[in-house]
Amino acid sequence: MKTHKTIKKNKIKEITAIDLFCGAGGLTKGLEKSGIKVNLGVDIDPACEYPYSANNSGVFLEKSITSISGKDIQGFFKRGSIRLLAGCAPCQTFSTYNRKSNSSDKRWRLLLEFGRLIKEIRPELITMENVPGLIEHDVFNTFRRNLIKLGYSVDYKIINCSKYGLPQNRRRLVLLASKIGDIRLLEPKEFTKRTFKTVKETIGNLYPIGAGEYLYADPLHKSAELSELNLKRIKASKPGGTWQDWPKNLVADCHKKQSGKTYVGVYGRMKWDEPSPAITTQFMGFGNGRFGHPKQHRGLSLREGAMLQGFPKSYKFVRKGEEPINKVIGRLVGNAVPVTLGHLIGKSILRHVEEHRNG
């Protein structure tokens, strides 16, 4: 029989959180924006330490969750607070972009390791987000069933983050679980009065740069170089168009084959008046997707990719005077939980706690 904890009326306890697989801090930043204090971020990637610590109030722990126990981290929750444990495991295993994934991939077990820590800590609240493809795998059903056995109310759904104000068409699976009572993710109109945000509104005011250039005042506003051929290609590209718009002499040999004719999204420009496509770890590459700037003859800069992921323009990814490495920062940005999604999760949890205080 499912039992729920009660919250005394006229008294809202503080919610404190631990962010597992915290990355550069997108989820933490969003939760903190909603008013939830995140005291610890855990990630195995040392490149995450600076951006996480420089932009958030929580402590960063460089460690794999496979080597920590609930006892190791539960002290980071404030005593007497409502505890939120977040675990957004790396999604590459379940992504449609990863065609080589199979059940032997060790990353499959990270979700179950998260489940182990839940069982050891028994927090009042849990959140998890991942790519929609995870829902089709047994590991997700096992994870969900185990939560129910532990007495949690569980809600999950696949959403397009653009409906909640993220300037990006990014579909994600979001799970919320609670020992307090039934819980749900807010609907778009409950979260924001204006759900639709465009590329132009987000990055349109940034200083123009050329391919391979960067802005001295913001080294993260840096774009990748383009070959002479790709420079001709982007100049021939229309916002929202495809390589099929190009003169024949610019079309790649692979796209001339029957098997390549369906990949029309690569070597494309974004549209100013729409959200961007999903930002991947390869978003700086003009040939890796529809990552061409709508107006300037280049791919997206690191800063632009981060802003399309909901990070504020001031978010620091490297120390002052340190040159950002495209591959490293691109990975951190593309793998991040969008800040807007973190904010949505946080507001949904706060609404949940408020409703059960008054219920």
Side-chain angles (χ1 to χ4, degrees):
M1 182 177 177
K2 186 181 293 184
T3 59
H4 291 134
K5 296 188 177 182
T6 58
I7 300 174
K8 293 181 179 179
K9 290 186 177 182
N10 302 320
K11 183 179 181 181
I12 297 181
K13 289 184 178 181
E14 181 181 1
I15 302 172
T16 57
I18 292 176
D19 185 359
L20 305 175
F21 316 103
C22 66
L27 176 61
T28 289
K29 178 58 66 178
L31 291 174
E32 292 193 339
K33 187 176 180 179
S34 75
I36 294 175
K37 181 74 163 55
V38 183
N39 290 337
L40 176 68
V42 182
D43 205 287
I44 196 173
D45 186 352
C48 299
E49 189 278 331
Y50 178 77
Y52 189 87
S53 300
N55 299 280
N56 303 288
S57 59
V59 174
F60 178 81
L61 175 63
E62 183 190 328
K63 211 161 189 180
S64 169
I65 74 162
T66 61
S67 60
I68 60 177
S69 69
K71 290 183 179 180
D72 294 331
I73 61 175
Q74 62 185 0
F76 284 92
F77 290 115
K78 183 177 178 180
R79 188 172 182 178
S81 68
I82 297 173
R83 300 165 299 165
L84 167 64
L85 187 62
C88 303
C91 62
Q92 294 92 337
T93 303
F94 314 108
S95 173
T96 55
Y97 293 101
N98 185 11
R99 301 181 186 278
K100 296 180 181 179
S101 170
N102 58 59
S103 58
S104 66
D105 193 317
K106 292 181 180 179
R107 290 172 296 185
W108 281 66
R109 294 205 55 81
L110 292 179
L111 188 59
L112 298 181
E113 288 288 335
F114 176 36
R116 171 183 62 81
L117 289 175
I118 292 169
K119 190 173 183 179
E120 292 175 10
I121 297 172
R122 307 292 175 100
E124 288 75 27
L125 299 165
I126 295 161
T127 186
M128 183 276 293
E129 71 87 50
N130 216 295
V131 294
L134 174 60
I135 204 170
E136 300 173 4
H137 294 279
D138 289 340
V139 66
F140 175 74
N141 291 321
T142 298
F143 178 77
R144 179 180 58 82
R145 286 194 298 266
N146 287 342
L147 289 179
I148 294 171
K149 288 178 182 178
L150 291 172
Y152 289 93
S153 290
V154 179
D155 180 62
Y156 62 94
K157 63 168 54 175
I158 295 172
I159 65 168
N160 188 328
C161 296
S162 68
K163 304 296 183 184
Y164 289 90
L166 184 74
Q168 179 190 162
N169 280 307
R170 192 178 190 92
R171 296 178 69 248
R172 305 300 287 180
L173 168 65
V174 182
L175 178 144
L176 297 174
S178 172
K179 279 186 172 290
I180 298 168
D182 292 338
I183 189 170
R184 66 180 180 86
L185 196 71
L186 294 176
E187 295 296 325
K189 290 183 179 179
E190 296 176 289
F191 176 67
T192 178
K193 293 180 180 179
R194 186 171 175 275
T195 59
F196 189 79
K197 193 172 183 182
T198 67
V199 170
K200 187 173 185 178
E201 290 174 284
T202 307
I203 66 171
N205 290 329
L206 292 182
Y207 194 86
I209 58 174
E213 295 181 350
Y214 73 95
L215 185 66
Y216 181 78
D218 180 12
L220 215 72
H221 189 32
K222 169 189 180 184
S223 68
E225 294 182 357
L226 289 178
S227 65
E228 184 177 345
L229 177 59
N230 279 339
L231 187 58
K232 290 179 181 179
R233 285 170 169 166
I234 197 168
K235 288 180 177 179
S237 298
K238 304 172 185 177
T242 73
W243 51 262
Q244 294 170 332
D245 301 321
W246 299 344
K248 290 183 179 180
N249 65 304
L250 296 181
V251 177
D253 290 339
C254 61
H255 293 147
K256 294 176 182 177
K257 299 176 182 178
Q258 191 63 37
S259 59
K261 290 183 178 180
T262 57
Y263 294 94
V264 294
V266 298
Y267 293 102
R269 284 188 189 267
M270 297 178 178
K271 286 186 175 181
W272 270 137
D273 58 354
E274 294 183 2
S276 77
I279 298 299
T280 70
T281 59
Q282 306 296 318
F283 70 87
M284 290 191 75
F286 170 53
N288 294 330
R290 192 173 295 282
F291 299 135
H293 191 280
K295 188 175 181 181
Q296 298 164 39
H297 301 318
R298 60 174 177 81
L300 288 175
S301 74
L302 290 169
R303 178 64 70 195
E304 289 165 337
M307 292 173 69
L308 291 169
Q309 279 278 61
F311 287 101
K313 185 180 177 181
S314 59
Y315 207 85
K316 301 173 184 177
F317 284 87
V318 293
R319 292 174 176 82
K320 189 175 181 178
E322 183 179 324
E323 183 179 354
I325 300 173
N326 294 357
K327 187 175 181 180
V328 173
I329 306 303
R331 181 183 75 245
L332 296 184
V333 170
N335 284 337
V337 176
V339 175
T340 306
L341 181 53
H343 189 203
L344 167 63
I345 290 169
K347 286 188 71 172
S348 299
I349 287 170
L350 289 170
R351 173 76 67 85
H352 164 69
V353 171
E354 174 70 21
E355 288 176 346
H356 285 277
R357 179 185 76 109
N358 295 327

